[in-house]
Amino acid sequence: LIPAADAPYFYADLASTAAELNDEPLPVAPGRARAALLLGRARATGSRYHLTGYGGDEIFLGLPHAYQDLFHGNPFTAWSHLGGLRHQLGWPLLPTVKALLDRSAFPRWLAGAVTAAPQPVARTPLLSWGVRQSLHPWLTERATALIAEEFRAAAEEAEPIDPWRGRHVDIDGVRMGARHFQAMEDIGMTLGLPVAAPFYDDRILEATLAVRLPERISPWRYKPLLVEAMRGVVPDALLARTTKDHMASDEHQGLREHAPELAELWAGSRLAQHGLVDSRQLLRLAAEPFSPVLVEHSISSTVAGETWLRTAENAWPAPQLTL
């Protein structure tokens, strides 16, 4: 057990990534100090292998997109479940029906998957091939143009992971989650403690997706398939959970606590030197950790890109030109 007072906030010790060159920006860079503390203490107590629950949300929580698939074979059950979701999430009736009947192809969706428009409002029905992403306001025009062009180019030959939308979103979520977990594995190996996430195992995914949709996800129960699988193993009090915690408070406390370090990061931003971010806007946000902008747009991916770029640029000696 780690007392809350011992756990660092997000964005602590960002310089700790300086000696770690990963294949890509570390998705968990803002939370690296927290992960290192947990794994370090586990290793100190004699743990030889650390198992985590990463992947449980992606596999067992389920996303509304899955009801697109169910609607084809069992429209009444799909509409009943969507009714529960609609009232929980505040989805208006007509937009929900329109989203359910939408049949746009994956390439078309991908071409517009990122946009400079504001984030979709919370009551926007989510039944497409994924969730449209709004580009961060601190990105430069050059960066937004590059990103949009990459998506348009990818869409020309893109194919979904699965022809069914819900199945595509399920598998894509697992792939993205496993990709992010790779960073946790790297941290564990650095500390000398192997880390694993059994829920990302191929066989677990195959077995889970083989279960009929209404029994795997439900708007009225929290991770019903996992609850039944763990009944008799996990205490009943835990199986009775109806929600999960989020870390928004820790996120914003971290932005406040480590504002000076973030300001230093943006003052010499390598991303800004490459013309990709507006360092002046990032500096303003560092001084305003509770800004509504940071509520709507997470800065964590930009921090990850910045710290990775600083590590990568020093990883290889500069080429020597010979005349």
Side-chain angles (χ1 to χ4, degrees):
L1 296 177
I2 299 177
D6 291 356
Y9 286 120
F10 288 107
Y11 304 101
D13 195 19
L14 292 175
S16 61
T17 62
E20 301 171 359
L21 180 59
N22 298 293
D23 293 336
E24 59 184 333
L26 186 69
V28 296
R32 189 201 178 285
R34 295 167 70 103
L37 173 69
L38 171 64
L39 297 178
R41 290 203 179 184
R43 184 176 184 276
T45 61
S47 176
R48 292 178 294 171
Y49 210 94
H50 189 72
L51 301 181
T52 77
Y54 285 88
D57 285 353
E58 293 93 318
I59 293 181
F60 297 106
L61 191 56
L63 292 171
H65 310 73
Y67 292 118
Q68 275 271 12
D69 301 358
L70 185 62
F71 186 75
H72 289 280
N74 197 333
F76 296 107
T77 301
W79 185 248
S80 173
H81 281 235
L82 275 174
L85 270 180
R86 198 168 64 80
H87 286 92
Q88 290 173 19
L89 302 176
W91 289 359
L93 176 60
L94 291 180
T96 302
V97 173
K98 181 179 178 181
L100 187 62
L101 298 177
D102 177 68
R103 292 293 177 267
S104 60
F106 177 69
R108 179 183 175 186
W109 174 84
L110 184 64
V114 294
T115 174
Q119 289 271 53
V121 297
R123 299 176 65 219
T124 300
L126 300 176
L127 296 171
S128 189
W129 291 98
V131 180
R132 191 187 68 176
Q133 300 294 318
S134 292
L135 295 170
H136 300 318
W138 52 82
L139 294 177
T140 63
E141 290 186 7
R142 176 173 182 265
T144 57
L146 287 170
I147 293 170
E149 178 55 35
E150 286 293 325
F151 271 80
R152 284 193 294 269
E156 293 179 1
E157 299 181 0
E159 294 183 4
I161 301 170
D162 191 278
W164 293 93
R165 289 189 186 186
R167 184 61 59 93
H168 165 86
V169 172
D170 281 336
I171 298 174
D172 189 46
V174 170
R175 289 175 61 175
M176 289 299 297
R179 180 177 166 189
H180 288 183
F181 178 73
Q182 177 68 51
M184 183 70 75
E185 287 187 296
D186 291 342
I187 294 172
M189 294 305 294
T190 300
L191 298 172
L193 178 65
V195 184
F199 283 143
Y200 286 133
D201 186 272
D202 289 349
R203 291 177 179 83
I204 298 294
L205 177 61
E206 291 167 0
T208 303
L209 295 183
V211 176
R212 289 182 295 184
L213 235 170
E215 296 174 4
R216 178 163 65 89
I217 63 174
S218 168
W220 304 287
R221 296 184 64 195
Y222 184 73
K223 299 182 181 179
L225 180 59
L226 185 60
V227 167
E228 297 307 324
M230 294 291 102
R231 195 171 297 283
V233 178
V234 172
D236 289 343
L238 293 180
L239 295 180
R241 284 175 54 190
T242 57
T243 61
K244 67 171 295 179
D245 191 17
H246 59 80
M247 294 179 285
S249 176
D250 287 352
E251 166 87 10
H252 293 290
Q253 290 288 350
L255 289 171
R256 184 189 68 175
E257 185 81 11
H258 300 290
E261 295 97 311
L262 287 166
E264 183 179 350
L265 196 70
W266 306 133
S269 172
R270 307 305 194 270
L271 290 172
Q273 292 173 12
H274 286 279
L276 300 175
V277 300
D278 182 346
S279 59
R280 291 172 298 180
Q281 187 171 356
L282 288 168
L283 282 167
R284 286 195 298 270
L285 290 173
E288 301 174 9
F290 297 105
S291 167
V293 174
L294 294 175
V295 174
E296 186 174 356
H297 298 272
S298 173
I299 205 167
S300 60
S301 61
T302 308
V303 170
E306 178 68 36
T307 53
W308 180 85
L309 188 57
R310 291 179 179 223
T311 304
E313 70 179 6
N314 297 322
W316 299 278
Q320 299 296 319
L321 296 178
T322 57
L323 300 178

